[in-house]
Amino acid sequence: MVIYTVKCSEFVARQIVERTNSRDVELVGFDGCTDNQYAINMLISMIRHPNVGAVLAVGLGCEYIQPEWLADIATQEGKLSSWMFIQKEGGTRLSIQKGESWASWAIRELRSTPTVPMTWKDLVIGAECGGSDYTSGLAGNAVVGRFFDKLTSLGGTAIFEEIVEAVGLKDVLVKRGATEKAKEEIAYTYDKALEYCKSVNQYSVSPGNFAGGLSTIEEKSMGAIVKSGSGKIQGVLKVAQRPEKEGLWLLDSTPDPYWMQFGITNPNDNEGLMDLISCGAHMVFLVTGRGSVVGSAVGPCVKITGNHETFERMSEDMEFDASPILEGTKSMAEMADDLARYVAEIADGKETKSEALGHKEFFIPYKYQENTVAIHRKCEEG
Amino acid sequence: MNEKVFQVNLQDNVAVALTALEAGSTVPLIGDTEQKEITAVTDIPVGHKIALRDISDGEDIVKYGVVIGHAIKNIPKGSWVHLEEMASNYDERSSHLDAVTGAPKDMSYK
């Protein structure tokens, strides 16, 4: 993985990735010169991610984020690491040359990494939806929910997000909290998200959703929450926080209350996918009704639709067709078994369609978030 | 796909058209339901909602067994239920969108 620590070093970092010409080399980075704790946490979570074997951090030389410190974290994790300042290396050409040479060496080194068999217990999968329509709640998200029930019953870990798409469903979610603490976290997170939506007068619902038959944020929300299945929710994760144990977790990616509404929620689908990966998801589901083409850096993205027309029209991009549920040709249980088989293949190394097409999108914005669910916030004490 | 309508939860007062429906057509109702069929009294686009009974102005609209908004006019059984018939209990902006395309009508493009 190649990281750029400011927009000014993005070109060089991108060139290193392209010239190394390996599907296994990926790019992530942060555009701002001024740093941001949320963004740093996000970069560190990618460095620590189990899908990443080596890290090259590329900085210009005058920005706040320190590539050397990022490389140190990779070393502590037992990963190959290197870093550079373009200003010290002598500019574009020399930096690309050095980076490409290191990345090619790291790829060769990683080929000899021993592999071990893993089970469902080791697997962490994240899910979010994008471009929802009427099929999302009935088929796409429903099959993910059923699969998540299965995954967690086998000892695996599932993470779902988009609390801003749970509007009107506070009681439904709180009831599913596994412990009193989890219930309190869910209630706090819900109230915070709703307050946020009210204050910016923006709910997470778009013209495409309405054209697709959804009339309100509440209707979209229920369709979205279905993807969490029916299991107990162990607690709420903040971005870049790892689940402390297996089971089902709710991820809160909404900005926490802070000066000038620092950061927006759900700016795009790739931000949500990165959030899930930052919590350790090995693989992410993007459930869509209207269709999407994106992939993701660091974790493979499996695009699922319950809309058969979408699947046919975008068959080179869409991975999994859940529409047989609506046609009545397959039961929900059969469809969830099919999805489990598909997941096993991807976990075993099969390329997703987005990977084969070269999709490796990422998005790390400025945002303010507390590191844990801040039921009692520092600014409110005393 | 043959014309049909899907009811998610027995408590629901709306169901989803899995195919586009023409006014006057009587189609099978599947899913968690007690009625066997429903007659559309308006055209209903695919994926949109049809009223399963007469719904009064101000009444809750229920789908998935949960409240997804409220009626903003009297809605006869069998008619299309969307942005001109119902509104969110939270989001005010969605009442200002074009009912067919979902495009916003509250922004100036001058």
Side-chain angles (χ1 to χ4, degrees), chain A residues 188 192 256-258 368 370 372-382:
Chain A
Y188 171 84
K192 185 196 78 171
D256 282 315
Y258 193 59
Y368 177 79
E370 308 272 351
T372 54
V373 181
I375 293 169
H376 305 289
R377 294 205 313 276
K378 278 183 210 147
C379 63
E380 290 168 345
E381 284 169 9

Coordinates of all heavy atoms in Angstrom, one line a residue, chain A residues 188 192 256-258 368 370 372-382:
Chain A
Y188 N -27.9 6.8 22.2 CA -27.1 8.0 22.1 C -26.7 8.3 20.6 O -26.9 9.4 20.1 CB -25.8 7.9 22.9 CG -24.9 9.1 22.7 CD1 -25.0 10.3 23.3 CD2 -23.8 9.0 21.7 CE1 -24.2 11.4 23.1 CE2 -23.0 10.0 21.5 CZ -23.2 11.2 22.1 OH -22.4 12.3 21.9
K192 N -27.9 11.5 18.3 CA -26.9 12.4 17.8 C -27.1 12.5 16.2 O -27.0 13.6 15.7 CB -25.5 11.8 18.1 CG -24.4 12.7 17.6 CD -23.1 12.0 17.6 CE -22.9 11.1 16.4 NZ -21.6 10.5 16.2
D256 N -19.2 13.9 15.2 CA -19.6 14.2 16.6 C -19.7 15.7 16.7 O -19.1 16.5 16.0 CB -18.6 13.7 17.6 CG -18.8 12.2 17.8 OD1 -20.0 11.8 17.9 OD2 -17.8 11.4 17.8
P257 N -20.6 16.2 17.6 CA -20.8 17.6 17.7 C -19.5 18.4 18.0 O -18.7 17.9 18.9 CB -21.8 17.7 18.9 CG -22.4 16.4 19.0 CD -21.4 15.4 18.6
Y258 N -19.2 19.4 17.3 CA -18.0 20.1 17.4 C -18.1 21.4 16.8 O -19.1 21.7 16.0 CB -16.9 19.2 16.7 CG -15.4 19.7 17.0 CD1 -14.9 19.7 18.3 CD2 -14.6 20.0 16.0 CE1 -13.6 20.1 18.6 CE2 -13.3 20.4 16.2 CZ -12.8 20.4 17.5 OH -11.5 20.8 17.8
Y368 N -14.6 15.5 12.3 CA -14.4 15.3 13.8 C -15.1 14.2 14.4 O -16.4 14.1 14.2 CB -14.7 16.6 14.5 CG -14.5 16.5 16.0 CD1 -13.2 16.5 16.5 CD2 -15.5 16.2 16.9 CE1 -13.0 16.3 17.9 CE2 -15.3 15.9 18.2 CZ -14.0 16.0 18.7 OH -13.8 15.8 20.0
E370 N -15.1 11.6 18.1 CA -14.5 11.1 19.3 C -14.0 9.7 19.0 O -14.5 9.1 18.1 CB -15.6 11.1 20.4 CG -16.3 12.4 20.6 CD -15.7 13.3 21.6 OE1 -14.7 12.9 22.2 OE2 -16.1 14.5 21.7
T372 N -14.4 7.1 21.1 CA -15.3 6.1 21.6 C -16.7 6.8 21.6 O -16.8 8.0 21.4 CB -15.0 5.7 23.0 OG1 -14.9 6.8 23.8 CG2 -13.7 4.9 23.0
V373 N -17.7 6.0 21.8 CA -19.1 6.6 21.8 C -19.1 7.5 23.0 O -19.0 7.1 24.2 CB -20.2 5.5 22.0 CG1 -21.5 6.1 22.0 CG2 -20.0 4.5 20.8
A374 N -19.3 8.8 22.7 CA -19.1 9.8 23.8 C -20.5 10.2 24.5 O -21.0 11.3 24.3 CB -18.5 11.1 23.1
I375 N -21.0 9.2 25.2 CA -22.3 9.4 25.9 C -22.1 10.6 26.8 O -23.0 11.4 27.0 CB -22.7 8.1 26.6 CG1 -23.0 7.1 25.5 CG2 -23.9 8.4 27.5 CD1 -23.3 5.7 26.0
H376 N -20.9 10.7 27.4 CA -20.6 11.9 28.3 C -19.4 12.6 27.6 O -18.3 12.1 27.7 CB -20.3 11.4 29.7 CG -21.4 10.6 30.3 ND1 -22.6 11.2 30.6 CD2 -21.5 9.3 30.6 CE1 -23.4 10.2 31.1 NE2 -22.7 9.1 31.1
R377 N -19.7 13.6 26.9 CA -18.6 14.3 26.2 C -17.8 15.2 27.1 O -18.4 15.9 28.0 CB -19.2 15.1 25.0 CG -19.8 14.2 24.0 CD -19.8 14.9 22.6 NE -20.3 16.3 22.7 CZ -21.6 16.6 22.7 NH1 -22.5 15.7 22.6 NH2 -21.9 17.9 22.7
K378 N -16.5 15.3 26.8 CA -15.6 16.2 27.6 C -16.1 17.6 27.7 O -16.1 18.2 28.7 CB -14.2 16.2 26.9 CG -13.4 14.9 27.3 CD -12.0 15.1 26.7 CE -11.4 13.7 26.4 NZ -10.6 13.7 25.2
C379 N -16.6 18.1 26.5 CA -17.0 19.5 26.5 C -18.2 19.8 27.4 O -18.6 21.0 27.6 CB -17.2 20.0 25.1 SG -18.5 19.2 24.2
E380 N -18.9 18.7 27.8 CA -20.1 18.9 28.6 C -19.9 18.7 30.1 O -20.8 18.9 30.9 CB -21.2 18.0 28.1 CG -21.8 18.3 26.7 CD -22.6 17.2 26.1 OE1 -22.6 16.1 26.7 OE2 -23.3 17.5 25.2
E381 N -18.6 18.3 30.4 CA -18.3 18.1 31.8 C -18.1 19.4 32.6 O -17.6 20.4 32.0 CB -17.1 17.2 31.9 CG -17.4 15.7 31.6 CD -16.1 14.9 31.5 OE1 -15.0 15.4 31.8 OE2 -16.3 13.7 31.0
G382 N -18.3 19.4 33.9 CA -18.0 20.5 34.7 C -18.9 21.7 34.6 O -19.7 21.9 33.8

